[in-house]
């Protein structure tokens, strides 16, 4: 079986776009393209979400979060893509894309609430268009087509971005979304994080096409394969896709080649189906998205150990404060399940709710 | 002013008037534009409103429903046509996992004002999978409204209500009655509220609950029973399967003490079972006989040479009435 997730552009189908090398050097002139304050913000955001991810795993093991889907290793893909968006753009994350959601404005506290099984964990700040984490695979891609299509019809200068993994590229909705978006030239960005595995199934068993990006050709839309651990390449690629979309040139399919160090979820044991330690160690030492940017920043005297210590402290405090806030947030009440099913609650639900209350009262349970 | 219209004409008029009134209303479906829909429900609307609002989509039901969900999230009011009810299955996940749940998932922050129109039911001599009556799938899904007009007046008024409804509505159109008869339909816009049944004929001896194409069959059976036996049946068109008009159902059973439910959907877990359960909950002590179901069978709707044998007939309904009254 061929390994498709090689970091080197070994295949001749579609080359992988890279700007920032593993050693922290850049392949092309960035003058005027990404300013230094933005680079620093990229670094800070990636450090924040990694710390959030690690903290979440610990909290899950302590039994304070439910099942959790980690993303460590994919920070450049999620943060870089979301940082390229404008505040009014639509973001459709999967259950693994909380880093993208956080970057686009979802408070850390809400993300904690979601993984704590709180009914209000999916609510986003007023005016934001951050959709709930999508659980059924690839289905959200079509919603992103629809919101982008509506933006175009209404003459609004907004795009939509849908996140998905390599496994989603096998679903029918992936193909229907690309086809619809191509036909209507919707300003939508399909952002695939190809981390090489759909739970236990390696990409080579997922797909006979060697890359996901090449599928774009079938729909006559733009396809780009990018080093998903290179935040500069990701940001520049998404920026360009947004410009293309807003210029009426239609959708872009982006395949960000990356790797997730940990398990699919906290309920999964990756050692059963992959050489977990070797693979993770290899990606951590040679390709890590945060390390790579730090080396670059240090070479340019934009970062040092002192700043790093300060940042780590700030990030840690911010996460702790968010978790405290989530812990103090009013608990979901059983009664909440009867709300927001319809605009006006029909008699069936209203009476079932009353019956539930009656029984709770009798049993001395809080409804 | 009223004119005589068929159900198809009434539906087209509702779409036309809502599109003229509200720029956000748009139509999506296969063959709905140039072709005007396989049953011509959207004929002429492409010329009138243009291809941005009357959209001939690629042939992909999940794509149609899924992108319509996104359109609805971002301020449009999409009215989707699925060519036949059984063709909805590829779009089923989008309906039950997303359209129905978006309000709940976002705690009311986002909602999906979407209408999915689809011809349904047997009796049209269609090929396989053109005649299904699987309304239970949708009635069983929290977050959806499921309605079925049975005549031109209701078709127009209910479709206007469905388009104005903030929740996703599955709008089932009984194919067999599309052009079967004409009825007075007012030219102006009017609304028939969703969730309300209609007493078609008052009676004292037995209540018949039906909807869609079965309504007229049930009416004919009731008329024959009256002539043959002198029993008067109250015939009720449920019109809305979720929410269900409990008050009208219960009041009628309290008056007559007997009931039959007639539907062409399969018997097991059909809506009829729910109505009987409701009657048990609310009006058991009024009953003089068990409530009878006259339904399609628990078999796939067969090929058209024997399709009529699958469907409840006047004869089967009459036998059910006799059995219930003589219990």
């Amino acid at each position: 079986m061929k390994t498709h997730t090689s970091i080197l552009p070994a295949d001749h189908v579609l080359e992988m776009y890279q700007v920032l090398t593993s050693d922290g050097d850049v392949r092309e002139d960035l003058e005027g393209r990404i300013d230094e304050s933005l680079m620093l913000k990229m670094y800070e955001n990636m450090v924040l979400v990694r710390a959030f991810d690690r903290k979440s795993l610990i909290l899950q093991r302590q039994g304070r979060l439910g099942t959790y889907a980690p993303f460590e290793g994919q920070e450049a893909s999620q943060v870089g893509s979301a940082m390229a968006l404008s505040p009014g753009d639509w973001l459709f994350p999967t259950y693994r894309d909380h880093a993208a959601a956080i970057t686009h404005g979802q408070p850390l506290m809400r993300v904690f609430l979601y993984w704590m099984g709180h009914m209000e964990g999916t609510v986003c700040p007023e005016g934001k268009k951050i959709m709930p984490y999508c659980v059924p695979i690839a289905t959200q891609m079509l919603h992103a087509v629809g919101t982008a299509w509506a933006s175009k019809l209404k003459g609004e200068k907004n795009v939509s971005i849908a996140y998905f993994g390599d496994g989603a590229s096998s679903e029918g909705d992936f193909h229907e979304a690309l086809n619809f978006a191509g036909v209507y030239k919707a300003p939508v960005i399909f952002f695939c994080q190809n981390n090489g595995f759909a739970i236990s199934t390696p990409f080579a068993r997922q797909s006979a096409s060697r890359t996901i990006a090449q599928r774009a050709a079938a729909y006559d839309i733009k396809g780009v394969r990018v080093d998903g651990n290179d935040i500069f390449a990701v940001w520049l690629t998404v920026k360009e896709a947004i410009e293309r979309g807003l210029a009426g040139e239609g959708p872009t399919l982006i395949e960000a080649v990356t790797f997730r160090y940990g398990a699919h979820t906290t309920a999964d044991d990756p050692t059963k189906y992959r050489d977990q330690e070797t693979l993770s160690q290899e990606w951590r030492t040679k390709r890590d998205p945060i390390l790579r940017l730090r080396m670059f920043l240090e070479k340019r005297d934009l970062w040092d150990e002192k700043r790093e210590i300060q940042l780590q402290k700030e990030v840690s405090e911010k996460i702790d404060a968010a978790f405290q806030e989530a812990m103090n947030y009013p608990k979901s009440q059983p009664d909440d399940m009867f709300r927001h099913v319809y605009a006006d609650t029909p008699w069936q639900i209203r009476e079932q709710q009353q019956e539930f209350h009656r029984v709770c009262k009798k049993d001395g349970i809080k409804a | 002013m009223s004119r005589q219209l068929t159900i198809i004409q009434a539906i087209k008029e509702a779409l036309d008037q809502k599109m003229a009134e509200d720029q956000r209303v748009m139509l999506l479906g296969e063959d709905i534009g140039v072709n005007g829909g396989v049953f011509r429900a959207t004929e002429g609307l492409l010329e009138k409103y243009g291809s941005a609002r009357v959209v001939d989509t690629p042939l992909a039901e999940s794509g149609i429903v899924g992108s319509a969900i996104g359109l609805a999230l971002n301020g449009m009011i999409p009215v989707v046509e699925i060519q036949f009810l059984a063709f909805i299955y590829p779009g089923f996940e989008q309906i039950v996992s997303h359209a129905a749940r978006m309000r709940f998932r976002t705690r009311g922050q986002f909602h999906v004002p979407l209408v999915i129109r689809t011809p349904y039911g047997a009796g049209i001599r269609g090929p396989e999978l053109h005649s299904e009556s699987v309304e239970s799938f949708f009635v069983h899904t929290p977050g959806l409204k499921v309605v079925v007009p049975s005549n031109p007046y209701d078709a127009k008024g209910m479709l206007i209500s469905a388009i104005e409804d903030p929740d996703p509505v599955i709008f089932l159109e009984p194919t067999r009655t599309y052009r079967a008869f004409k009825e007075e339909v007012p030219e102006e816009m009017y609304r028939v509220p969703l969730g309300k049944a209609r007493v078609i004929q008052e009676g004292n001896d037995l209540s018949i609950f039906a909807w869609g194409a079965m309504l007229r069959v049930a009416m004919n059976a009731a008329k024959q029973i009256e002539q043959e036996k002198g029993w008067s049946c109250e015939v009720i068109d449920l019109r809305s399967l979720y929410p269900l008009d409990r008050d009208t159902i219960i009041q009628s059973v309290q008056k007559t003490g007997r009931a039959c439910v007639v539907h062409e959907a399969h018997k097991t877990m059909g809506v009829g079972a729910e109505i009987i359960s409701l009657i048990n909950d609310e009006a058991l002590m009024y009953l003089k006989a068990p409530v009878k179901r006259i339904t399609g069978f628990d078999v796939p709707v067969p090929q058209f040479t024997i399709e009529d044998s699958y469907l409840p007939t006047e004869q089967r309904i009459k036998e059910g009435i006799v059995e219930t009254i003589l219990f």
Side-chain angles (χ1 to χ4, degrees):
Chain A
M1 209 187 304
K2 287 183 292 236
T3 308
H4 296 324
T5 49
S6 162
I7 197 81
L8 300 167
D11 57 87
H12 300 290
V13 182
L14 207 61
E15 289 208 354
M16 188 158 61
Y17 178 52
Q18 190 186 58
V19 175
L20 182 62
T21 68
S22 302
D23 302 322
D25 298 320
V26 283
R27 288 180 187 272
E28 54 187 82
D29 184 18
L30 291 178
E31 195 57 47
R33 298 181 76 194
I34 309 178
D35 62 45
E36 288 180 348
S37 64
L38 185 65
M39 291 173 179
L40 286 167
K41 192 73 198 152
M42 285 173 172
Y43 184 72
E44 288 165 9
N45 282 347
M46 285 201 290
V47 167
L48 172 73
V49 298
R50 176 166 292 186
F52 174 87
D53 192 64
R54 289 181 175 177
K55 177 80 175 180
S56 298
L57 275 176
I58 293 166
L59 291 168
Q60 194 279 335
R61 290 194 182 115
Q62 291 172 345
R64 297 205 272 181
L65 297 190
T67 303
Y68 175 78
F71 58 79
E72 188 176 342
Q74 301 182 196
E75 292 88 350
S77 291
Q78 293 195 28
V79 171
S81 55
M83 279 183 78
L85 303 173
S86 297
D89 291 339
W90 291 76
L91 187 140
F92 291 83
T94 75
Y95 49 81
R96 193 182 310 290
D97 300 310
H98 12 297
I102 290 166
T103 305
H104 199 48
Q106 186 70 316
L108 297 174
M109 186 274 288
R110 288 279 167 183
V111 187
F112 277 133
L113 286 183
Y114 179 77
W115 292 105
M116 287 160 85
H118 200 294
M119 293 293 282
E120 294 207 351
T122 51
V123 174
C124 69
E126 190 68 34
K128 286 275 177 190
K129 280 101 176 212
I130 303 168
M131 302 310 291
Y133 302 115
C134 191
V135 174
I137 306 301
T139 51
Q140 78 282 10
M141 296 178 69
L142 281 162
H143 308 162
V145 172
T147 52
W149 185 358
S151 293
K152 189 181 170 188
L153 288 170
K154 295 195 293 181
E156 290 170 353
K157 289 289 174 197
N158 282 121
V159 301
S160 302
I161 186 166
Y163 290 84
F164 55 101
D166 39 306
S169 72
S170 301
E171 289 275 10
D173 278 4
F174 167 90
H175 301 278
E176 297 191 19
L178 265 59
N179 191 40
F180 270 64
V183 170
Y184 301 116
K185 289 206 179 302
V188 56
I189 296 151
F190 302 113
F191 193 88
C192 177
Q193 291 164 83
N194 183 351
N195 65 23
F197 289 89
I199 306 190
S200 64
T201 307
F203 185 60
R205 285 220 170 270
Q206 193 70 242
S207 167
S209 53
R210 297 199 50 183
T211 70
I212 288 167
Q214 75 193 63
R215 307 249 189 108
Y219 301 95
D220 209 17
I221 65 175
K222 179 79 177 172
V224 187
R225 193 159 195 251
V226 59
D227 180 348
N229 283 16
D230 168 359
I231 194 161
F232 292 166
V234 170
W235 188 86
L236 288 165
T237 301
V238 175
K239 268 285 177 215
E240 201 183 307
I242 293 169
E243 282 162 20
R244 190 181 305 117
L246 294 181
E249 290 165 31
T252 304
L253 170 64
I254 298 170
E255 175 186 7
V257 179
T258 183
F259 186 78
R260 186 191 66 240
Y261 299 144
H264 168 68
T265 68
T266 48
D268 170 47
D269 174 15
T271 60
K272 276 180 72 180
Y273 52 78
R274 67 187 193 192
D275 187 355
Q276 181 62 16
E277 255 176 63
T278 313
L279 274 172
S280 288
Q281 199 49 38
E282 196 183 313
W283 280 82
R284 267 188 201 285
T285 49
K286 293 185 189 156
R287 297 156 187 174
D288 187 74
I290 298 182
L291 192 62
R292 194 188 292 200
L293 180 57
R294 185 174 169 183
M295 285 194 281
F296 169 85
L297 294 174
E298 283 176 350
K299 281 180 186 176
R300 294 210 169 184
D301 284 331
L302 293 168
W303 202 251
D304 54 38
E305 189 58 24
K306 203 177 133 206
R307 281 180 163 217
E308 180 69 22
I309 292 167
Q310 179 61 27
L311 176 64
Q312 291 290 350
K313 186 170 166 278
E314 281 168 18
V315 155
S316 175
E317 284 167 3
K318 200 173 168 186
I319 292 166
D320 287 346
F323 184 65
Q324 259 326 304
E325 200 187 344
M327 289 289 279
N328 295 335
Y329 196 86
K331 294 266 177 291
S332 286
Q333 300 302 321
D335 192 57
D336 291 343
M337 73 177 139
F338 298 104
R339 301 181 204 281
H340 304 300
V341 184
Y342 295 88
D344 295 313
T345 303
W347 64 266
Q348 285 96 332
I349 295 177
R350 199 172 56 243
E351 291 188 4
Q352 288 160 28
Q353 183 180 16
Q354 285 161 0
E355 175 68 7
F356 174 76
H357 276 260
R358 196 186 60 73
V359 173
C360 286
K361 205 172 166 188
K362 215 170 126 193
D363 292 347
I365 299 165
K366 197 176 166 197
Chain B
M1 206 185 108
S2 290
R3 303 96 345 122
Q4 296 272 327
L5 296 184
T6 61
I7 287 184
I8 274 285
Q9 290 167 330
I11 284 167
K12 183 159 62 187
E13 191 164 280
L15 293 172
D16 191 355
Q17 291 180 350
K18 279 308 294 178
M19 290 191 80
E21 185 205 59
D22 190 338
Q23 292 290 313
R24 298 172 300 168
V25 178
M26 59 186 288
L27 313 182
L28 296 93
E30 293 156 20
D31 303 312
I32 65 160
V34 179
N35 198 30
V38 288
F39 291 102
R40 308 288 179 263
T42 52
E43 201 166 44
L45 299 179
L46 173 69
E47 289 78 7
K48 212 163 166 182
Y49 299 104
S51 58
R53 292 181 67 199
V54 180
V55 185
D56 270 328
T57 64
L59 202 161
E61 288 75 14
S62 188
I64 297 169
V65 178
S67 56
I69 288 170
L71 286 161
L73 287 170
N74 195 4
M76 305 302 288
I77 302 177
V79 181
V80 159
E81 177 178 303
I82 300 291
Q83 278 186 348
F84 291 90
L85 180 57
F87 296 1
I88 216 166
Y89 302 149
F92 192 69
E93 181 182 23
Q94 286 290 350
I95 297 171
V96 302
S97 299
H98 293 292
R101 298 170 66 104
M102 197 59 83
R103 181 186 292 281
F104 187 76
R105 292 170 76 206
T106 64
R107 310 317 287 151
Q109 197 173 19
F110 293 94
H111 68 287
V112 178
L114 164 71
V115 179
I116 301 176
R117 296 179 36 241
T118 174
Y120 92 108
I124 54 157
R125 305 290 177 263
E128 194 184 3
L129 285 160
H130 284 62
S131 310
E132 315 303 293
S133 176
V134 288
E135 53 267 36
S136 288
F137 291 164
F138 305 102
V139 174
H140 196 63
T141 304
L144 299 178
K145 290 183 175 172
V146 185
V147 301
V148 191
S150 70
N151 58 63
Y153 180 90
D154 285 350
K156 179 176 172 183
M158 287 169 69
L159 184 52
I160 289 170
S161 293
I163 294 171
E164 292 174 353
D165 199 283
D167 290 313
V169 179
I170 308 292
F171 195 87
L172 300 173
E173 298 167 3
T175 322
R176 189 177 167 186
T177 60
Y178 262 158
R179 291 192 174 81
F181 58 98
K182 289 190 171 189
E183 203 182 68
E184 293 280 310
V185 175
E187 208 169 304
E188 67 270 14
M189 283 236 254
Y190 60 90
R191 285 138 190 101
V192 172
L194 309 183
K196 293 271 176 258
R198 178 176 162 211
V199 181
I200 303 287
Q201 169 183 296
E202 300 218 8
N204 296 312
D205 299 309
L206 178 130
S207 306
I208 301 176
F209 303 109
W211 55 93
M214 283 299 107
L215 210 264
R216 282 162 66 83
V217 185
M219 270 298 290
N220 290 341
K223 277 187 188 134
Q224 288 170 30
I225 282 285
E226 187 145 25
Q227 283 163 7
E228 291 165 18
K229 308 272 185 184
W231 298 329
S232 76
C233 294
E234 184 144 297
V235 181
I236 291 172
D237 181 0
L238 288 183
R239 297 197 290 201
S240 179
L241 304 180
Y242 201 101
L244 197 59
D245 184 351
R246 169 184 46 186
D247 294 347
T248 302
I249 295 169
I250 299 306
Q251 278 162 20
S252 180
V253 173
Q254 287 176 343
K255 181 168 89 175
T256 62
R258 301 181 187 90
C260 287
V261 187
V262 180
H263 65 59
E264 61 173 284
H266 316 297
K267 187 171 193 173
T268 302
M269 297 288 169
V271 175
E274 177 59 33
I275 293 163
I276 294 170
S277 185
L278 178 70
I279 294 168
N280 281 341
D281 285 346
E282 310 267 338
L284 181 67
M285 302 313 281
Y286 292 86
L287 286 182
K288 297 170 191 154
V291 181
K292 186 92 187 156
R293 276 177 289 175
I294 300 101
T295 70
F297 305 111
D298 286 1
V299 300
V301 180
Q303 305 293 60
F304 64 78
T305 51
I306 56 168
E307 181 183 14
D308 288 345
S309 302
Y310 167 88
L311 282 170
T313 55
E314 287 161 16
Q315 189 55 36
R316 276 175 62 200
I317 298 170
K318 276 160 61 181
E319 279 180 20
I321 295 170
V322 170
E323 205 178 306
T324 305
I325 291 188
L326 297 183
F327 176 79

